[in-house]
Amino acid sequence: MRDRGEFLFTSESVSEGHPDKVADRISDTVVDAYLAADPYARVACETLVTTNRIILAGEVRGPETITKEYLAHLARLAVHDIGYDQEGFSWKNATVDVHLHAQSADIAVGVDAAGNKDEGAGDQGIMFGYACTETEALMPAPIYYSHLILRRISELRRAADSQVKGLLPDAKSQVTLKYIDGKPVGATSVVVSIQHVEGLTPADVKEMLRPIVTAALPEGWMPPDSEFYVNPTGIFVIGGPDGDCGLTGRKIIVDTYGGAAPHGGGAFSGKDPTKVDRSAAYVSRYLAKNVVASGLAERCTLQLSYAIGVSQPLSLYVDLHGTAKDVDEAKVAATLRELVNLTPRGIREHLQLNRPIYAPTSAFGHFGRTPDADLGTFTWEKTDLVPALKAAFGR
């Protein structure tokens, strides 16, 4: 994203009931089931959801106690929690097919630790992390507020005394912000599309959502009514997997920085933490966030790269976008490598990733979330490297 001048920038989010996010949730539920039974289980689970059908496929290595019947049961529970009990997609009636099989021995021999060989990366790839001072969460503002709008709608939809009766799980939001000299100053448009029961009109839904969106945005940022679009196509009754097929890993920009930063291309959900697509993207965010939180820069983009079967990263790149004074980017990169072991094993141990903590990541973004000490979730959002970084740079 540019630093100077005046421009508009847009990011979108999708709710936990979006078909692709239903698939992500089921895939991450499978990961959690295996890690709960064996912290060192291997999982690569893809899910497809469509009209009253759920299909799981992929590779696993873990306890035989995790049966196909148990995974089908967990898939139904995930759908139930999201809130789908509709004629075209119901947690009760959907057919669940489980086609998971053993992990390839060729992959395992390159990844597993043996003798003097440390555990290698599960695949080649590049992963990016990003942080900036636009929000308290150190996330880009457009994606942050897009997520926040949908999170608040979800919370209200699930409440016993719901203020949004008639709204259903499938939803999307889109926020366009105006930037002046690289800083967001207000929203020029907001779009929300949300599934609803028959009988509600677009005007009904718009009035239901107006106070939620207004409260989610900073004071004075709400766009004019003509730029507040709710269900622009009109009625949205048929939604979720009954309306569109959903697949794991199709919302990678929603999951990360909303397009404000580069993306390496790998999806997260359905993968155990030996897969660097997931764990290295998490540690990249962790490192970038700590650089910004320590006051070394207002923005930080960080890239890691790996080769399958090789433990150490091939590269670590840091870009502070000209927002730092008297800070050498090469020294930042070298300091980060000293502070954190960036091998797959080192990342997992530092961030405590070998635990069943992934289902909560499957909606509303993997980054910019609040760490939960009790649940052990979102450890990559901690800023515990700040003291060491400040000391290293005399701050």
Side-chain angles (χ1 to χ4, degrees), residues 20-21 23-25 27-28 31 43-47 122-128 247-257 262-282 358 361-362 365-367 380:
D20 294 331
K21 283 287 139 194
D24 283 347
R25 170 65 180 275
S27 290
D28 274 337
V31 172
V43 183
C45 176
E46 311 294 341
T47 301
D123 201 353
Q124 70 180 45
I126 57 174
M127 301 83 200
F128 287 92
L247 294 169
T248 301
R250 284 206 303 199
K251 288 293 177 282
I252 59 176
I253 301 302
V254 170
D255 283 345
T256 54
Y257 307 103
H263 196 294
F268 304 156
S269 290
K271 297 176 182 177
D272 74 77
T274 67
K275 277 71 170 176
V276 285
D277 274 345
R278 182 167 218 159
S279 57
Y282 286 176
Y358 297 104
T361 69
S362 62
H366 293 245
F367 306 133
W380 50 93

Side-chain angles (χ1 to χ4, degrees), residues 170-308:
D170 192 359
K172 301 176 77 170
S173 66
Q174 184 171 286
V175 174
T176 300
L177 298 185
K178 181 178 182 179
Y179 282 73
I180 298 178
D181 293 333
K183 307 293 183 184
V185 298
T188 60
S189 65
V190 173
V191 184
V192 182
S193 296
I194 187 163
Q195 184 188 14
H196 58 83
V197 299
E198 290 189 31
L200 288 179
T201 68
D204 294 332
V205 177
K206 187 171 186 177
E207 289 312 304
M208 235 185 275
L209 296 183
R210 187 190 309 277
I212 300 171
V213 174
T214 301
L217 296 173
E219 186 175 358
W221 278 32
M222 186 70 180
D225 190 70
S226 60
E227 296 293 333
F228 177 38
Y229 303 96
V230 174
N231 288 359
T233 61
I235 301 301
F236 183 8
V237 172
I238 300 173
D242 187 31
D244 286 296
C245 179
L247 294 169
T248 301
R250 284 206 303 199
K251 288 293 177 282
I252 59 176
I253 301 302
V254 170
D255 283 345
T256 54
Y257 307 103
H263 196 294
F268 304 156
S269 290
K271 297 176 182 177
D272 74 77
T274 67
K275 277 71 170 176
V276 285
D277 274 345
R278 182 167 218 159
S279 57
Y282 286 176
V283 83
S284 295
R285 161 64 178 174
Y286 172 69
L287 297 177
K289 183 176 183 180
N290 274 271
V291 167
V292 173
S294 66
L296 298 182
E298 293 183 9
R299 291 171 58 198
C300 177
T301 298
L302 187 145
Q303 185 207 57
L304 285 168
S305 68
Y306 290 84
I308 187 168

